[in-house]
Amino acid sequence: MNVPETVTAHVGGNLVLFSSYHLGVHSKGADIDVLCVGPSFLERNDFFTYFFQKLKAQEEVNNIRAVEEATVPVIKSSSEGTEVICSEKKYKLSCVQYPSLRFVCMCLDHCYRVTEEILRAVPNMHNFRLTLRAIRLWAKRRNIYSSTLGFLGGVSWAIILIARICQLYSNSTASTLVTKFFLAYSIRTWPTIIQLNIPEKCKFNLPFWDPRIHPSDCYHLMPILTPSYPVQNSMVNVSHFTVAIMSEEFKRGHTITEEIQQNKAEWTKLFETPNFFEKYQYVFSQKLKIRTKYTTL
């Protein structure tokens, strides 16, 4: 790039932990989110040209492809059976993702500070971590842990929702926090805003969530706002269908935790996995009818 050696010798870089690993709630086999900070003179074009070619030249890298037009532009590949996702955003940072180690390209002012703000907001870290582990396990067992599919992802619901409960019931044990979690969200009317704090206003002209300024924000069904500038709704993918499913699961969780308190059920009941085909039998029965119809024709 014709950058003088006097500059390249001092540009440096850094790796910063964030998300579940930084919060201390990671589980076996989970990703480790690491922000890779690089020099600011790198451009998006460099990421998809020079960096892409360097990856492609590695013998252990297979099935490499660039997805430049996505919301989060990425380079996807695999290495020794491990999926690798390299992404870049306009903040000129790059990342590499493995199933057990992920270098995520995001704005340092956002991803890292969101985690830091959550840590500051939680009064009892030990109880927060236990509660978070329980809710994450419950959400994954109930098949509602995926922002891609229109449900809530890690930051939204395993972190911000639980951190808010920890704020409200600061002296409660983890079991009580889990019970309060289901109670609070089983009776909540959406789209009520969930927010841990009011971030400081910064004049960086970055896009932020505010329905008074951006009319499209009024249509968000489940606004769960990040606790650092620029404020974003971490749940933009939800639909009326997924909100209804999550509301149903919150009510189920509340019923079971009430039974547990009354010694009428065990905690294992909360984490039971549903029969997917039985739960959505109407959808599959309709598909079967359509398939049978066209087979007959």
Side-chain angles (χ1 to χ4, degrees), residues 12-28:
N14 199 5
L15 298 178
V16 183
L17 291 170
F18 67 99
S19 194
S20 60
Y21 196 88
H22 185 44
L23 288 169
V25 295
H26 54 285
S27 55
K28 183 178 180 180

Side-chain angles (χ1 to χ4, degrees), residues 122 146 148 178 188 277 281 290:
V122 174
S146 173
T148 304
V178 171
R188 194 171 192 87
F277 296 99
Q281 56 183 320
I290 294 173

Side-chain angles (χ1 to χ4, degrees), residues 77-250:
S77 64
S78 59
S79 177
E80 298 180 356
T82 299
E83 183 183 10
V84 181
I85 302 177
C86 310
S87 66
E88 187 273 348
K89 296 187 77 171
K90 68 178 181 179
Y91 299 101
K92 304 174 184 178
L93 304 175
S94 60
C95 78
V96 179
Q97 173 178 347
Y98 300 86
S100 59
L101 179 60
R102 182 169 56 183
F103 296 91
V104 181
C105 156
M106 291 182 178
C107 170
L108 179 61
D109 275 346
H110 204 222
C111 63
Y112 177 71
R113 287 198 301 117
V114 163
T115 306
E116 285 295 303
E117 288 295 335
I118 290 170
L119 290 173
R120 293 191 189 100
V122 174
N124 187 311
M125 186 54 60
H126 176 71
N127 290 337
F128 166 72
R129 286 170 173 162
L130 287 177
T131 307
L132 177 51
R133 287 179 181 274
I135 297 301
R136 286 179 62 176
L137 176 61
W138 166 79
K140 291 179 179 180
R141 290 283 180 87
R142 302 302 297 176
N143 301 318
I144 54 174
Y145 191 93
S146 173
S147 58
T148 304
L149 297 178
F151 297 104
L152 301 186
V155 170
S156 302
W157 92 297
I159 296 176
I160 297 178
L161 291 185
I162 297 170
R164 183 59 183 145
I165 296 298
C166 290
Q167 282 183 328
L168 296 174
Y169 305 97
S170 57
N171 296 320
S172 299
T173 62
S175 59
T176 301
L177 290 171
V178 171
T179 302
K180 295 295 185 182
F181 171 88
F182 287 111
L183 171 61
Y185 297 117
S186 64
I187 61 176
R188 194 171 192 87
T189 302
W190 302 102
T192 310
I193 296 173
I194 298 289
Q195 192 169 21
L196 291 180
N197 55 20
I198 306 298
E200 292 184 28
K201 293 183 178 179
C202 301
K203 298 180 180 179
F204 294 128
N205 295 321
L206 297 175
F208 59 92
W209 189 92
D210 191 337
R212 297 170 298 180
I213 299 175
H214 310 293
S216 60
D217 291 344
C218 297
Y219 298 98
H220 290 184
L221 302 175
M222 190 177 277
I224 302 174
L225 307 184
T226 55
S228 64
Y229 177 87
V231 174
Q232 300 288 339
N233 178 15
S234 60
M235 272 320 305
V236 296
N237 292 335
V238 298
S239 64
H240 289 285
F241 179 68
T242 55
V243 170
I245 291 176
M246 287 185 284
S247 297
E248 179 186 331
E249 289 295 340
F250 287 141

Side-chain angles (χ1 to χ4, degrees), residues 175-176 179-180 254-265 267:
S175 59
T176 301
T179 302
K180 295 295 185 182
H254 173 55
T255 301
I256 293 175
T257 50
E258 287 290 303
E259 292 176 355
I260 293 172
Q261 285 189 317
Q262 299 169 10
N263 294 321
K264 295 180 180 179
W267 281 102

Side-chain angles (χ1 to χ4, degrees), residues 63-82:
N63 304 320
I64 187 169
R65 58 203 183 279
V67 186
E68 299 184 48
E69 303 303 323
T71 304
V72 179
V74 296
I75 295 174
K76 296 185 176 182
S77 64
S78 59
S79 177
E80 298 180 356
T82 299

